[in-house]
Amino acid sequence: MGERRKTQNSIYLIYTVLFAGIWCVIALPFFLRGNGLIGEADSFNQSFPVYIYIGDYIRELLRGNFIQFDFRLGLGDDVFAALNWHGFGDVLQITAALVPARYAEPAYTVTMLLKYYLCGLAFLIYIRKYAEQSLFRVAGALLYAFCIFGLIWGLNCWMFLNPMFTLPLILHGIDEILENKDRLSKWLMIGLFVQSMNGFYFLYMEIIITIIYFLVVTVIRKKKSIFAYGLSVMLQGVLGVSLGGVFLLPSIIGFFNSSRTDQRQIFDSFWQLFFYEDYHYYLTSLSHMLIPDAYGSIITIPIVMLAGVILYFTGSRSHGEFKFLFGGLGIMFFLPVMGSIMNGFSYSVDRWYFAVLLFGITGTVLAMQTEKEFSLRNRYLFWGIAFLTILINVARSEWNPGILIRTAIFAVLIGLLPFIWNRKEKREIWLLAYVTITIIINGLFLFGPKVLGGSGYSAGFKPYDAACSEMAESMDGIEKEEDFNRMDIYDSSLSSSLVMDYYGTTEYFSTLNGRVSEFYRELFISPGVRSATWILKGLDGRRELESLLSVSQYMDFKADENGQRTAAILKNDDSLPFGFTYDRWISRERFDQLNPMEKQSIMLECAVLETPSETIAEKKDIARNADQQVACRLEWIDIDRRLRIWLEDFEEKSGELYIKLSDFVLNNEGVQDLAVGNKSLQIRNRDDDYYMGSDEFWVNVSEIKQADNKYYFDIFSLGEKKYSLGKVQVFQHTINKQGLMDRSQNELTDLKVENNKICGKINVEKPELLFLSIPYSKGWSATMDGQEVEIIKANIAFASIELKPGMHEICFTYNSPGLKAGIGLSVISLAVLLVWRWQEIRRRRREPA
């Protein structure tokens, strides 16, 4: 027993030393560029701000402040629902509370590296049942911890690393139960508990994979009493998942009330269920099967895994379940329907690829242990497949001298592997060294510059220690105000409000409040949001909407002749109070018939309700088409890269200028950012996963240029992609000043915004509707003078209540939907677990030695 423990400790030590050494080398491209591990997109907009927020949240919790709803999340959102997918509930993120905010970036980096380390550690725990040679197990752990899936997705959104270390633990727990169905598996409990605390998205995938694993393993191993084993696995699985109920239930409820549930139909035909229409997908996958690429494909396997899978499939007869699992899941991976199933029956994704790699690397370790001979036939098969992928990669790559370097290095590695594999002396050491070298080379080519044959992935990351300072710089020019107000700032991280502690309008989370997202879509706000379900990108500087949502300061831009923008902070003198009243309403049906300019003006005159009000009167007269259309002439400039919009007979006056682009379609693949005047527009191909189903765009162009006594603005970057554009219209919109004055007459006074509670006083002389720009949610309850009143959804996404004449004390209180039930579920599950564990200990004591 002592010798076995010593061996285990040596395995962990070797793995730890090699893990640290590999990271020191493959991180060189970051170091040489001066970049850290916070990416420009998802990390900067999501993961890193949430990490800092969690640290602050824990500190506030220790002070006795339990926050369930926070106005720093977009326009305000449920903390559990919005952030759970991003690590709210991740036990490792407690590190954020252990360091001051100024050390958040190094703490974030250390925590991320810890997650990578745990991926390999979990593999070591899982593989010990199947492999005896210690160095082969270490080789497998390194291959898994540094797989391309983890390096790309993990650095981009580190929540993708959680299932990589929980799945091996869950499967190891299944193996323990299959050895003894009466045994309580701690590993199954740990894996499911940790993942359920991190939301249901990857938990959902892992449950599907676990069911497949259990069925395959029990059938191939010819286990009797499959029902009894299955019942034990199911009961323990439910118990493990229920332990995380405190975070899991609110996140599930939040998901079904989020923008993610509003998905268009994905498959138009039976054929599309099983084949991707674009054959380039398959060619790209093949060309990067062995050579990593951060942008073309992440379906890259290590060279040694290709060899191991070939030898395992053609040789060993032991553990045939892994042949079936890797082969079956590998085939299913290329079926669009499977990608859709793994994404909640939405668009197809490859985010479950880590499971395919897990079983492939397991088979590779088994091949290292059992197949000590690389036969001539297998050698030619391996070389044939490997060199074919290299040729395809060269043919499909944009030529540069680095391709020669990359191709030569991979050719040498491929050519040497069979000879290293066939070594008789110190074979374990040689193969471990080969694995280490290939991992380093893969990492350097993944992160290294394109001129040397790399993907240049490290170039898309922030300079080290610059993330927080960039968010702080975006606040330059902001005046702190004591009253409740929002800041419409979107030139930095879209979640900078979590770090800089202000109420914002932007949001970049995977599960947004569905009603707020609907509000943005309905008003055609912030053109970029129409191309993704997870982005709220400000209010486009629209004065009436800024005022309606109590925005006192907002960001606008000045653009030079090349479309480059410079941000400036402007003050909104027309900002409305957080709570104000309406004395009239219109139906949602009539509201939907208006154009975006009319919609934002009418909301300053009357509330938009989906159910009739018996308290206030319906507005019968709605003035339409009051805005003036501006004649315009289009001129192409700079070889189709720029479209100039000349404004004919235009007089510059107060108000806003809107451009409407109808049937504006991107025909090429992907997404394209455009500069429309001094604003930014994003459009996507209709086949893109995140295309939102609309080809109509409205942009508030707040800066007009002048030349030869004529006014104009430009649309840049059109020449980089192929577009079709139907109709271009320009409108001059008049701000509803009277509506702004009317809404500011009667407001909620003595306003107190506390944790999960908003209170104030208001005096009305007649029946009115009190509107608060609180995103509508079933978590809110309201009282008037101590008596509960109904909350009515108003203006598409927000909360209101009906008022009777007189002075009233108003209170809104928030409780996260599902939180109380989740806490109860976690407590009950913990009690059941303790009783079960106590019974197991008693049973073991009664058994004879």
Side-chain angles (χ1 to χ4, degrees):
M1 187 71 177
E3 187 65 28
R4 182 180 179 183
R5 183 179 296 274
K6 185 177 179 181
T7 302
Q8 290 293 340
N9 290 339
S10 66
I11 291 175
Y12 297 135
L13 178 60
I14 295 170
Y15 166 71
T16 302
V17 171
L18 289 175
F19 176 88
I22 290 172
W23 259 116
C24 287
V25 178
I26 67 174
L28 282 175
F30 292 93
F31 176 76
L32 295 175
R33 286 181 176 272
N35 289 352
L37 297 184
I38 297 177
E40 294 278 1
D42 288 343
S43 299
F44 184 55
N45 283 299
Q46 299 183 78
S47 306
F48 182 61
V50 172
Y51 179 75
I52 294 178
Y53 179 82
I54 288 173
D56 292 338
Y57 187 95
I58 293 173
R59 286 186 281 268
E60 285 296 316
L61 188 62
L62 294 175
R63 296 187 188 106
N65 299 321
F66 180 43
I67 303 170
Q68 300 177 61
F69 185 93
D70 201 325
F71 280 104
R72 289 177 291 177
L73 296 169
L75 295 173
D77 213 340
D78 185 291
V79 176
F80 291 82
L83 300 184
N84 187 247
W85 200 84
H86 299 278
F88 193 77
D90 186 343
V91 294
L92 292 179
Q93 299 215 47
I94 196 173
T95 56
L98 303 179
V99 297
R102 63 181 179 275
Y103 299 124
E105 188 165 342
Y108 175 88
T109 301
V110 170
T111 306
M112 181 183 293
L113 296 179
L114 177 60
K115 285 176 178 279
Y116 279 104
Y117 178 78
L118 290 176
C119 292
L121 201 63
F123 185 88
L124 284 175
I125 293 171
Y126 173 65
I127 198 65
R128 67 188 183 193
K129 172 181 170 59
Y130 302 105
E132 297 175 0
Q133 283 93 334
S134 58
L135 295 186
F136 291 155
R137 288 151 63 183
V138 172
L142 293 173
L143 289 171
Y144 188 64
F146 291 97
C147 67
I148 301 302
F149 174 92
L151 290 179
I152 296 176
W153 277 117
L155 288 178
N156 190 47
C157 293
W158 66 351
M159 67 284 295
F160 284 77
L161 295 173
N162 291 340
M164 282 190 63
F165 65 76
T166 56
L167 182 61
L169 300 181
I170 293 170
L171 299 186
H172 181 64
I174 300 293
D175 288 339
E176 287 186 329
I177 295 173
L178 290 177
E179 290 178 354
N180 180 1
K181 66 179 184 297
D182 297 324
R183 181 176 182 177
L184 184 63
S185 173
K186 65 178 181 182
W187 295 115
L188 180 64
M189 295 292 170
I190 292 173
L192 289 172
F193 167 70
V194 170
Q195 192 57 63
S196 64
M197 292 280 284
N198 283 277
F200 69 97
Y201 182 71
F202 283 107
L203 178 66
Y204 163 83
M205 296 184 198
E206 289 178 291
I207 289 174
I208 294 175
I209 295 166
T210 299
I211 292 172
I212 294 173
Y213 182 82
F214 174 79
L215 294 175
V216 170
V217 168
T218 52
V219 170
I220 290 182
R221 294 179 188 173
K222 298 179 181 180
K223 285 284 184 180
K224 297 180 180 179
S225 303
I226 292 180
F227 177 79
Y229 285 108
L231 183 63
S232 180
V233 169
M234 184 183 70
L235 290 175
Q236 294 191 45
V238 169
L239 187 58
V241 169
S242 299
L243 286 170
V246 60
F247 287 95
L248 182 61
L249 283 186
S251 72
I252 292 176
I253 293 172
F255 174 81
F256 285 106
N257 289 291
S258 75
S259 57
R260 287 282 180 166
T261 55
D262 182 21
Q263 296 287 350
R264 62 191 178 93
Q265 182 178 344
I266 304 303
F267 302 110
D268 298 323
S269 66
F270 179 79
W271 180 262
Q272 291 180 359
L273 292 171
F274 302 100
F275 297 96
Y276 290 97
E277 290 184 326
D278 186 4
Y279 69 92
H280 290 289
Y281 172 80
Y282 300 102
L283 285 178
T284 300
S285 300
L286 186 60
S287 68
H288 291 290
M289 187 175 78
L290 297 179
I291 297 179
D293 180 74
Y295 305 103
S297 173
I298 60 168
I299 310 171
T300 302
I301 65 174
I303 295 172
V304 71
M305 181 174 153
L306 174 62
V309 167
I310 289 174
L311 292 174
Y312 186 59
F313 269 80
T314 60
S316 175
R317 296 182 180 180
S318 63
H319 299 299
E321 61 268 30
F322 293 108
K323 296 180 182 179
F324 192 91
L325 287 165
F326 175 74
L329 291 178
I331 293 172
M332 286 191 285
F333 180 80
F334 288 96
L335 305 180
V337 64
M338 189 63 181
S340 176
I341 291 172
M342 286 297 193
N343 194 34
F345 295 90
S346 181
Y347 55 88
S348 296
V349 294
D350 53 12
R351 294 170 188 162
W352 62 284
Y353 184 53
F354 63 91
V356 181
L357 287 171
L358 173 63
F359 296 125
I361 294 171
T362 299
T364 300
V365 173
L366 294 176
M368 288 179 178
Q369 180 174 269
T370 58
E371 304 301 322
K372 300 179 181 178
E373 179 86 17
F374 217 126
S375 68
L376 190 61
R377 183 193 64 177
N378 285 336
R379 197 179 307 176
Y380 289 144
L381 178 62
F382 166 69
W383 281 337
I385 295 173
F387 285 118
L388 175 64
T389 66
I390 287 184
L391 291 175
I392 295 175
N393 179 268
V394 172
R396 290 178 57 82
S397 297
E398 184 177 342
W399 176 254
N400 66 69
I403 293 179
L404 292 177
I405 301 172
R406 183 178 71 197
T407 303
I409 290 175
F410 276 92
V412 170
L413 291 174
I414 291 167
L416 288 177
L417 179 56
F419 301 105
I420 293 174
W421 193 291
N422 285 349
R423 286 187 64 90
K424 295 182 179 180
E425 295 182 2
K426 299 182 179 179
R427 182 166 168 269
E428 283 185 76
I429 296 176
W430 278 96
L431 277 176
L432 178 59
Y434 180 89
V435 165
T436 303
I437 291 170
T438 55
I439 288 173
I440 289 174
I441 290 173
N442 275 341
L444 291 176
F445 276 116
L446 182 68
F447 301 143
K450 292 185 177 181
V451 69
L452 295 178
S455 292
Y457 195 48
S458 60
F461 287 73
K462 293 285 182 186
Y464 181 74
D465 208 23
C468 286
S469 60
E470 182 174 326
M471 293 184 208
E473 288 173 6
S474 70
M475 298 293 291
D476 289 347
I478 293 288
E479 297 178 10
K480 292 291 184 179
E481 300 177 22
E482 294 183 2
D483 297 334
F484 181 97
N485 61 85
R486 293 187 173 99
M487 312 287 183
D488 189 10
I489 302 170
Y490 48 96
D491 197 38
S492 179
S493 168
L494 295 184
S495 298
S496 63
S497 56
L498 300 184
V499 179
M500 305 313 299
D501 194 23
Y502 66 89
Y503 299 153
T505 61
T506 64
E507 197 168 355
Y508 196 97
F509 299 127
S510 293
T511 50
L512 302 178
N513 183 302
R515 296 178 181 89
V516 173
S517 183
E518 181 186 1
F519 176 81
Y520 272 69
R521 292 197 303 270
E522 187 74 30
L523 276 297
F524 289 79
I525 307 170
S526 182
V529 17
R530 292 207 58 77
S531 60
T533 57
W534 68 89
I535 299 175
L536 301 184
K537 195 181 178 185
L539 296 171
D540 196 26
R542 305 184 187 187
R543 181 64 62 85
E544 291 163 319
L545 295 177
E546 306 274 13
S547 300
L548 184 78
L549 300 178
S550 304
V551 173
S552 63
Q553 297 171 78
Y554 65 97
M555 181 170 284
D556 202 4
F557 299 89
K558 290 192 175 296
D560 61 20
E561 287 300 318
N562 296 314
Q564 299 299 314
R565 304 183 308 156
T566 303
I569 302 297
L570 303 181
K571 188 172 180 60
N572 178 16
D573 294 325
D574 297 319
S575 177
L576 291 173
F578 181 62
F580 58 82
T581 63
Y582 289 105
D583 58 3
R584 291 177 295 174
W585 65 276
I586 64 166
S587 68
R588 176 69 184 273
E589 183 179 1
R590 295 175 69 194
F591 178 80
D592 287 343
Q593 296 170 5
L594 307 177
N595 67 41
M597 295 179 298
E598 294 167 334
K599 288 177 178 178
Q600 57 196 38
S601 288
I602 202 67
M603 284 190 293
L604 294 177
E605 296 182 21
C606 55
V608 180
L609 302 181
E610 297 181 16
T611 56
S613 172
E614 298 179 358
T615 301
I616 61 176
E618 181 179 5
K619 181 178 172 62
K620 299 295 185 181
D621 56 320
I622 299 179
R624 297 202 58 186
N625 301 319
D627 298 304
Q628 177 185 355
Q629 184 168 350
V630 180
C632 59
R633 175 173 58 87
L634 311 184
E635 178 187 3
W636 289 100
I637 299 175
D638 297 344
I639 317 177
D640 296 347
R641 282 198 67 251
R642 187 189 329 187
L643 176 63
R644 178 156 293 176
I645 315 294
W646 289 99
L647 306 177
E648 307 285 348
D649 299 325
F650 173 74
E651 293 184 9
E652 198 168 14
K653 57 184 179 180
S654 62
E656 295 174 330
L657 193 75
Y658 286 83
I659 181 172
K660 177 186 178 183
L661 304 171
S662 302
D663 299 320
F664 192 20
V665 179
L666 175 64
N667 297 320
N668 287 12
E669 285 187 46
V671 59
Q672 180 66 41
D673 291 321
L674 306 173
V676 180
N678 62 330
K679 298 296 177 64
S680 177
L681 171 69
Q682 185 181 86
I683 64 173
R684 291 177 183 266
N685 180 277
R686 285 175 174 173
D687 294 327
D688 189 86
D689 291 334
Y690 304 121
Y691 170 72
M692 293 295 289
S694 175
D695 301 318
E696 180 180 322
F697 298 86
W698 291 74
V699 184
N700 171 25
V701 181
S702 54
E703 182 187 42
I704 310 299
K705 297 184 181 298
Q706 193 173 9
D708 300 328
N709 295 320
K710 293 183 179 181
Y711 294 93
Y712 72 91
F713 60 90
D714 294 328
I715 301 178
F716 286 89
S717 300
L718 289 170
E720 298 177 5
K721 298 275 186 177
K722 291 183 179 180
Y723 303 84
S724 60
L725 176 58
K727 193 174 184 180
V728 176
Q729 294 171 284
V730 178
F731 299 90
Q732 198 160 17
H733 175 59
T734 302
I735 303 295
N736 189 348
K737 288 286 188 179
Q738 185 61 49
L740 288 168
M741 291 176 60
D742 292 343
R743 299 287 70 79
S744 61
Q745 295 302 309
N746 209 351
E747 65 179 280
L748 194 65
T749 60
D750 296 336
L751 182 67
K752 294 181 180 179
V753 181
E754 302 172 343
N755 288 337
N756 319 312
K757 195 170 186 178
I758 300 167
C759 294
K761 297 178 181 179
I762 192 165
N763 184 23
V764 293
E765 297 178 354
K766 59 182 179 179
E768 297 202 34
L769 189 77
L770 174 64
F771 172 84
L772 296 93
S773 54
I774 301 172
Y776 182 86
S777 167
K778 292 183 179 179
W780 285 106
S781 60
T783 62
M784 182 168 59
D785 303 324
Q787 299 295 316
E788 187 169 352
V789 294
E790 179 186 4
I791 296 177
I792 302 169
K793 184 168 68 170
N795 295 348
I796 304 173
F798 303 100
S800 68
I801 60 172
E802 295 180 331
L803 299 175
K804 297 177 182 179
M807 173 66 76
H808 303 289
E809 291 189 4
I810 307 297
C811 276
F812 278 71
T813 305
Y814 189 81
N815 289 289
S816 294
L819 180 60
K820 291 181 180 178
I823 293 173
L825 183 61
S826 293
V827 170
I828 293 172
S829 300
L830 180 60
V832 171
L833 177 61
L834 293 175
V835 171
W836 193 339
R837 178 60 178 166
W838 178 63
Q839 292 285 357
E840 185 179 41
I841 293 174
R842 288 187 61 191
R843 178 178 56 80
R844 288 183 179 178
R845 288 176 177 175
R846 290 196 300 265
E847 291 177 354

